[in-house]
Coordinates of all heavy atoms in Angstrom, one line a residue:
N216 N 235.1 40.0 18.4 CA 234.6 41.2 17.7 C 235.7 41.6 16.8 O 235.7 42.8 16.3 CB 234.2 42.2 18.6 CG 232.8 41.9 19.3 OD1 232.0 41.3 18.7 ND2 232.8 42.4 20.6
E217 N 236.7 40.9 16.5 CA 237.8 41.2 15.6 C 237.2 41.2 14.2 O 236.6 40.3 13.8 CB 239.0 40.3 15.7 CG 240.2 40.5 14.8 CD 241.2 39.7 14.9 OE1 241.4 38.9 15.9 OE2 242.0 39.4 13.9
I218 N 237.5 42.2 13.4 CA 237.1 42.3 12.1 C 238.2 42.0 11.0 O 239.3 42.6 11.1 CB 236.4 43.7 11.8 CG1 235.2 43.9 12.6 CG2 236.1 43.9 10.1 CD1 234.5 45.2 12.5
T219 N 237.9 41.1 10.1 CA 238.8 40.8 9.1 C 238.3 41.2 7.7 O 237.3 40.9 7.5 CB 239.1 39.2 8.9 OG1 239.5 38.8 10.2 CG2 240.1 38.8 8.0
E220 N 239.2 42.2 7.1 CA 238.7 42.7 5.7 C 239.1 41.8 4.7 O 240.2 41.2 4.6 CB 239.3 44.1 5.5 CG 239.0 45.1 6.6 CD 237.6 45.6 6.5 OE1 237.0 45.5 5.3 OE2 237.1 46.1 7.6
C221 N 238.3 41.7 3.6 CA 238.6 41.0 2.4 C 239.6 41.8 1.5 O 239.3 43.1 1.5 CB 237.4 40.5 1.7 SG 236.4 39.3 2.5
Q222 N 240.4 41.3 0.7 CA 241.2 42.0 -0.2 C 240.8 41.6 -1.6 O 240.3 40.6 -1.9 CB 242.7 41.5 -0.1 CG 243.3 41.7 1.3 CD 243.1 43.2 1.7 OE1 243.6 44.1 1.0 NE2 242.7 43.5 3.0
K223 N 240.7 42.6 -2.6 CA 240.4 42.4 -3.9 C 241.4 41.3 -4.5 O 242.5 41.2 -4.2 CB 240.6 43.7 -4.8 CG 239.5 44.6 -4.8 CD 239.7 45.7 -5.7 CE 238.4 46.6 -5.7 NZ 238.7 47.7 -6.8
A224 N 240.7 40.4 -5.2 CA 241.5 39.3 -5.9 C 242.5 39.8 -6.9 O 242.1 40.6 -7.8 CB 240.6 38.2 -6.5
F225 N 243.8 39.4 -6.7 CA 244.8 39.9 -7.7 C 244.5 39.3 -9.1 O 244.7 39.9 -10.1 CB 246.2 39.5 -7.2 CG 247.3 40.1 -8.0 CD1 247.6 41.4 -8.1 CD2 248.0 39.2 -8.9 CE1 248.6 41.8 -8.9 CE2 249.0 39.6 -9.7 CZ 249.4 41.0 -9.7
W226 N 244.1 38.0 -9.1 CA 243.8 37.3 -10.4 C 242.2 37.0 -10.3 O 241.8 36.0 -9.6 CB 244.6 35.9 -10.4 CG 246.0 36.1 -10.6 CD1 246.9 35.8 -9.5 CD2 246.7 36.6 -11.6 NE1 248.2 36.2 -10.0 CE2 248.2 36.5 -11.2 CE3 246.4 37.0 -13.0 CZ2 249.1 37.0 -12.2 CZ3 247.4 37.5 -13.8 CH2 248.8 37.4 -13.3
P227 N 241.4 37.8 -10.9 CA 240.0 37.6 -10.8 C 239.6 36.5 -11.8 O 239.1 36.7 -13.0 CB 239.4 39.0 -11.3 CG 240.4 39.7 -12.1 CD 241.8 39.1 -11.5
V228 N 239.8 35.3 -11.3 CA 239.5 34.1 -12.2 C 238.1 33.9 -12.6 O 237.2 34.2 -11.7 CB 240.0 32.8 -11.3 CG1 239.7 31.5 -12.1 CG2 241.5 32.9 -11.2
Q229 N 237.8 33.5 -13.9 CA 236.4 33.3 -14.3 C 236.2 31.8 -14.3 O 237.1 31.1 -14.8 CB 236.2 33.8 -15.7 CG 236.5 35.3 -15.8 CD 236.4 35.8 -17.2 OE1 235.5 35.4 -17.9 NE2 237.2 36.7 -17.7
T230 N 235.1 31.4 -13.9 CA 234.8 30.0 -13.8 C 233.2 29.7 -13.8 O 232.5 30.7 -14.1 CB 235.4 29.3 -12.6 OG1 235.2 27.9 -12.6 CG2 234.8 29.9 -11.3
Y231 N 232.8 28.5 -13.5 CA 231.4 28.2 -13.4 C 231.1 27.5 -12.1 O 232.0 26.8 -11.7 CB 230.9 27.3 -14.6 CG 230.7 28.0 -15.8 CD1 231.8 28.2 -16.8 CD2 229.5 28.5 -16.2 CE1 231.6 28.8 -18.0 CE2 229.2 29.1 -17.3 CZ 230.3 29.3 -18.3 OH 230.1 30.0 -19.4
A232 N 230.0 27.8 -11.5 CA 229.7 27.2 -10.1 C 228.2 27.1 -10.2 O 227.5 28.1 -10.5 CB 230.2 27.9 -9.0
F233 N 227.6 26.0 -9.7 CA 226.2 25.8 -9.6 C 225.5 26.1 -10.9 O 224.4 26.6 -11.0 CB 225.6 26.6 -8.5 CG 226.1 26.3 -7.2 CD1 227.2 27.0 -6.6 CD2 225.7 25.3 -6.4 CE1 227.6 26.8 -5.3 CE2 226.1 24.9 -5.2 CZ 227.1 25.6 -4.7
G234 N 226.2 25.9 -12.1 CA 225.7 26.0 -13.4 C 225.6 27.4 -13.8 O 224.9 27.8 -14.8
K235 N 226.3 28.3 -13.1 CA 226.3 29.8 -13.4 C 227.7 30.3 -13.7 O 228.6 29.8 -13.1 CB 225.6 30.6 -12.3 CG 224.1 30.3 -12.1 CD 223.5 31.1 -11.0 CE 222.1 30.7 -10.9 NZ 221.4 31.5 -9.9
K236 N 227.8 31.3 -14.4 CA 229.0 32.0 -14.5 C 229.5 32.6 -13.1 O 228.7 33.1 -12.4 CB 229.0 33.1 -15.6 CG 228.8 32.6 -16.9 CD 228.7 33.8 -17.9 CE 228.5 33.3 -19.3 NZ 228.3 34.4 -20.3
A237 N 230.8 32.5 -12.9 CA 231.2 33.0 -11.6 C 232.6 33.8 -11.8 O 233.4 33.3 -12.8 CB 231.4 31.9 -10.6
K238 N 232.9 34.6 -11.0 CA 234.2 35.4 -11.0 C 234.7 35.7 -9.6 O 234.1 36.0 -8.7 CB 234.1 36.7 -11.8 CG 235.5 37.3 -12.0 CD 235.2 38.4 -13.1 CE 236.6 38.9 -13.5 NZ 236.5 39.9 -14.7
R239 N 236.0 35.3 -9.4 CA 236.7 35.6 -8.0 C 236.8 37.1 -7.9 O 237.4 37.7 -8.8 CB 238.0 34.9 -8.1 CG 238.6 35.0 -6.6 CD 240.1 34.5 -6.7 NE 240.1 33.2 -7.1 CZ 241.2 32.5 -7.6 NH1 242.3 33.1 -7.5 NH2 241.2 31.3 -7.9
I240 N 236.3 37.5 -6.8 CA 236.4 39.0 -6.6 C 237.1 39.4 -5.3 O 237.8 40.4 -5.2 CB 235.0 39.6 -6.4 CG1 234.2 39.0 -5.4 CG2 234.3 39.6 -7.8 CD1 232.8 39.7 -5.1
F241 N 237.2 38.4 -4.2 CA 237.9 38.7 -3.1 C 238.6 37.4 -2.6 O 238.3 36.4 -2.8 CB 237.0 39.2 -2.0 CG 236.3 40.6 -2.2 CD1 235.0 40.6 -2.4 CD2 237.0 41.7 -2.1 CE1 234.4 41.8 -2.5 CE2 236.5 42.9 -2.2 CZ 235.1 43.0 -2.5
I242 N 239.6 37.7 -1.8 CA 240.4 36.7 -1.0 C 240.4 37.2 0.4 O 240.7 38.4 0.7 CB 241.7 36.5 -1.6 CG1 241.7 35.9 -3.0 CG2 242.7 35.6 -0.7 CD1 243.0 35.7 -3.7
V243 N 240.3 36.2 1.3 CA 240.3 36.6 2.8 C 241.1 35.5 3.5 O 241.0 34.4 3.3 CB 239.0 36.8 3.4 CG1 238.1 35.5 3.4 CG2 239.0 37.4 4.8
D244 N 242.1 36.1 4.4 CA 242.8 35.1 5.3 C 242.1 35.3 6.7 O 242.1 36.2 7.4 CB 244.2 35.5 5.3 CG 244.9 35.2 4.1 OD1 244.8 34.1 3.5 OD2 245.6 36.1 3.5
I245 N 241.5 34.1 7.1 CA 240.9 34.1 8.4 C 242.0 33.6 9.5 O 242.4 32.4 9.3 CB 239.7 33.1 8.4 CG1 238.6 33.6 7.5 CG2 239.1 32.9 9.8 CD1 238.0 35.0 7.8
P246 N 242.3 34.4 10.4 CA 243.5 34.0 11.3 C 243.1 33.1 12.5 O 243.8 32.3 12.9 CB 243.9 35.5 11.9 CG 242.6 36.3 11.8 CD 241.9 35.8 10.6
K247 N 241.7 33.1 12.9 CA 241.2 32.3 14.0 C 239.9 31.7 13.6 O 238.9 32.4 13.2 CB 241.2 33.1 15.2 CG 240.7 32.4 16.4 CD 240.7 33.3 17.6 CE 240.1 32.5 18.8 NZ 239.9 33.4 19.9
E248 N 239.8 30.3 13.7 CA 238.4 29.7 13.4 C 237.3 30.2 14.4 O 237.6 30.7 15.5 CB 238.6 28.3 13.4 CG 238.7 27.5 14.7 CD 238.6 26.1 14.6 OE1 239.6 25.5 14.0 OE2 237.6 25.5 14.9
G249 N 236.0 30.1 14.0 CA 235.0 30.5 14.7 C 233.8 30.9 14.0 O 233.7 30.7 12.8
Q250 N 232.8 31.4 14.7 CA 231.5 31.9 14.1 C 231.7 33.3 13.7 O 232.2 34.2 14.5 CB 230.4 31.7 15.1 CG 229.0 31.8 14.6 CD 228.6 30.7 13.6 OE1 229.2 29.6 13.7 NE2 227.7 30.9 12.7
F251 N 231.4 33.7 12.4 CA 231.6 35.0 11.9 C 230.2 35.6 11.4 O 229.5 34.8 10.9 CB 232.6 35.1 10.8 CG 234.0 34.8 11.3 CD1 234.4 33.4 11.4 CD2 234.8 35.8 11.5 CE1 235.7 33.2 11.8 CE2 236.2 35.6 11.8 CZ 236.6 34.3 12.0
E252 N 230.1 36.9 11.6 CA 229.1 37.7 11.1 C 229.7 38.2 9.7 O 230.8 38.8 9.6 CB 228.6 38.9 12.0 CG 227.5 39.7 11.2 CD 227.2 41.0 12.1 OE1 227.6 41.0 13.3 OE2 226.6 41.8 11.6
V253 N 228.9 38.0 8.6 CA 229.4 38.6 7.3 C 228.8 39.9 7.1 O 227.6 40.2 7.3 CB 228.9 37.6 6.1 CG1 229.4 38.2 4.9 CG2 229.3 36.2 6.4
I254 N 229.7 40.9 6.8 CA 229.3 42.4 6.7 C 229.5 42.7 5.3 O 230.6 42.7 4.7 CB 230.1 43.2 7.6 CG1 229.9 42.7 9.0 CG2 229.6 44.7 7.5 CD1 230.9 43.4 10.1
F255 N 228.3 43.1 4.6 CA 228.5 43.6 3.2 C 228.4 45.2 3.3 O 227.4 45.7 3.7 CB 227.3 43.0 2.4 CG 227.3 41.5 2.3 CD1 226.2 40.7 2.9 CD2 228.2 40.9 1.5 CE1 226.3 39.4 2.9 CE2 228.3 39.5 1.4 CZ 227.3 38.7 2.1
N256 N 229.4 45.8 2.8 CA 229.4 47.2 2.7 C 229.1 47.7 1.2 O 229.7 47.2 0.3 CB 230.8 47.8 3.1 CG 231.1 47.3 4.5 OD1 230.4 47.6 5.4 ND2 232.3 46.7 4.6
N257 N 228.1 48.6 1.1 CA 227.7 49.2 -0.2 C 227.3 48.1 -1.2 O 227.8 48.2 -2.4 CB 228.9 50.1 -0.7 CG 229.2 51.1 0.3 OD1 228.4 51.8 0.8 ND2 230.6 51.3 0.6
P258 N 226.5 47.1 -0.9 CA 226.1 46.2 -1.9 C 225.5 46.7 -3.2 O 225.5 46.1 -4.2 CB 225.3 45.2 -1.1 CG 224.7 45.9 0.0 CD 225.8 47.0 0.3
E259 N 224.8 47.8 -3.0 CA 224.1 48.4 -4.0 C 225.0 49.0 -5.3 O 224.6 49.3 -6.3 CB 223.2 49.6 -3.6 CG 224.0 50.9 -3.1 CD 224.5 50.7 -1.6 OE1 224.2 49.7 -1.0 OE2 225.2 51.6 -1.2
T260 N 226.3 49.2 -4.9 CA 227.3 49.6 -5.9 C 227.9 48.4 -6.8 O 228.6 48.6 -7.7 CB 228.4 50.4 -5.3 OG1 229.2 49.5 -4.5 CG2 227.9 51.5 -4.5

């Protein structure tokens, strides 16, 4: 039940993935491998 927060990307790199424009927005360091629930906070913003 440990929660790991993502940090805003210091260098928001622009690229293409799956034929679409993409931009790096977050970086996260996962300290321990395992199954994780992804929590999206305020996706409407």
Side-chain angles (χ1 to χ4, degrees):
N216 288 326
E217 181 181 336
I218 295 178
T219 303
E220 300 285 335
C221 293
Q222 303 299 315
K223 278 187 179 181
F225 184 74
W226 298 107
V228 176
Q229 300 176 40
T230 188
Y231 283 86
F233 298 99
K235 296 182 180 184
K236 293 178 181 180
K238 189 162 190 174
R239 183 185 309 160
I240 57 170
F241 291 113
I242 293 178
V243 63
D244 290 310
I245 299 296
K247 180 181 176 185
E248 73 175 71
Q250 194 72 19
F251 289 83
E252 176 185 350
V253 183
I254 302 168
F255 299 110
N256 300 304
N257 305 310
E259 67 281 354
T260 65

